[in-house]
Amino acid sequence: MRQVIVAGNWKMNTNKAEGEALVAGLKAGLGETSAEVIVFPPFPYLGGIVAAAEGSSIKTGSQDLYIEDNGAYTGEVSTEMLKDVGCSHVLVGHSERRHVLGECNKMVNKKARKGLDDGMKVVLCVGELIEERQAWQMESVLDEQMSWGLAGVSADQMADIMIAYEPVWAIGTGLTATPAQAEEAHLYLRKWLELHYSSEVAENTRILYGGSVKPDNAAELIGQPNVDGALVGGASLKADSFLGIIAGAG
Ligand code: PEP
């Protein structure tokens, strides 16, 4: 049985006080949930958010990492620094890093492997552009992003990988994949895992959906057999809406 995950990607939003108030609101409203809840705040606030989340089951992750241990990499942040401030998870390959910041599949793979090698749990984001979907290329794009992203990742290491299927056309646009569209892509990804790893890895790996998830569509999306939770952007910035999504996750 795969535990549902509801993860909030705050992107480049919030300030220190807002982020800490958001976590306080989540703590106050979380109650008994069966979901694993993770927040991904901006780098400068990570330590404060870890402290604010103390005493709750909320986990804290980073939106990115760099592939070296330390040294002359101006502006970058290492896994040791992230773990030092209490981060357990990291996002890699988010569509904004791929398409706004020009991150290639090879770098996504290096980041995924660095996170895994250094003991972090890695959320690998994949998803097609609208023009790729319209050209019936969804499967080939997912195949390429999965093959690259997971190159050199062993079956054992897959225990620390989560996949986030995030169709780029649904991120921050208000356009959500229908539950059937999400399920179709997730089923493709699960079969990919079976083909390239094993039925055990396919069965155990959590595949999250991301793209304009809100309290009113979360339950139906997460209710699909191969959708194991949500990666949420905009709606994770208010405690009420994020809690509504967590409630929808069951
Ligand atoms: C995201 O940033 O991963 C995301 C899914 O954003 P939104 O929920 O705003 O579409």
Side-chain angles (χ1 to χ4, degrees):
M1 189 65 182
R2 297 181 294 267
Q3 186 187 11
V4 166
I5 298 176
V6 181
N9 173 16
W10 297 359
K11 311 192 187 194
M12 200 170 71
N13 293 303
T14 70
N15 59 28
K16 188 172 186 299
E18 287 166 355
E20 289 174 12
L22 177 47
V23 169
L26 295 178
K27 274 171 84 167
L30 204 51
E32 291 287 308
T33 177
S34 55
E36 184 174 1
V37 177
I38 314 165
V39 293
F40 292 86
F43 281 141
Y45 307 135
L46 285 171
I49 295 302
V50 170
E54 244 171 56
S56 77
S57 59
I58 300 167
K59 296 171 184 160
T60 305
S62 157
Q63 298 173 22
D64 195 17
L65 58 72
Y66 194 57
I67 57 173
E68 300 292 344
D69 289 337
N70 50 51
Y73 303 101
T74 302
E76 297 298 336
V77 174
S78 74
T79 50
E80 292 311 315
M81 294 169 185
L82 295 171
K83 291 191 296 180
D84 196 22
V85 296
C87 275
S88 50
H89 289 66
V90 61
L91 294 179
V92 303
H94 190 274
S95 79
E96 285 143 22
R97 296 217 60 87
R98 292 179 189 269
H99 300 295
V100 180
L101 295 151
E103 203 161 289
C104 65
N105 274 316
K106 200 170 175 181
M107 180 56 87
V108 172
N109 175 250
K110 286 184 181 173
K111 289 185 173 182
R113 289 167 61 180
K114 182 66 178 158
L116 292 171
D117 287 348
D118 292 349
M120 298 191 77
K121 299 197 184 301
V122 173
V123 182
L124 170 66
C125 305
V126 296
E128 80 286 356
L129 298 162
I130 188 65
E131 51 272 33
E132 292 165 338
R133 172 166 278 263
Q134 285 165 345
W136 302 99
Q137 290 167 348
M138 177 192 81
E139 292 186 356
S140 60
V141 171
L142 295 183
D143 183 40
E144 190 183 2
Q145 292 179 345
M146 291 285 282
S147 299
W148 269 104
L150 296 174
V153 174
S154 70
D156 283 351
Q157 286 179 309
M158 285 301 292
D160 289 328
I161 284 270
M162 287 133 275
I163 306 294
Y165 169 62
E166 299 205 297
V168 182
W169 47 273
I171 298 180
T173 59
L175 291 175
T176 314
T178 63
Q181 285 172 323
E183 173 61 15
E184 182 191 21
H186 284 231
L187 184 59
Y188 178 79
L189 292 166
R190 202 168 302 286
K191 285 187 172 158
W192 190 99
L193 292 169
E194 186 171 6
L195 188 66
H196 293 82
Y197 285 95
S198 65
S199 48
E200 195 187 339
V201 167
E203 186 53 36
N204 292 337
T205 304
R206 281 150 330 149
I207 308 176
L208 317 184
Y209 169 78
S212 299
V213 177
K214 300 193 173 56
D216 60 3
N217 60 22
E220 205 182 350
L221 285 161
I222 298 171
Q224 300 304 303
N226 286 290
V227 178
D228 307 313
L231 178 55
V232 185
S236 71
L237 293 171
K238 294 266 180 294
D240 281 359
S241 55
F242 197 52
L243 287 168
I245 292 169
I246 295 167

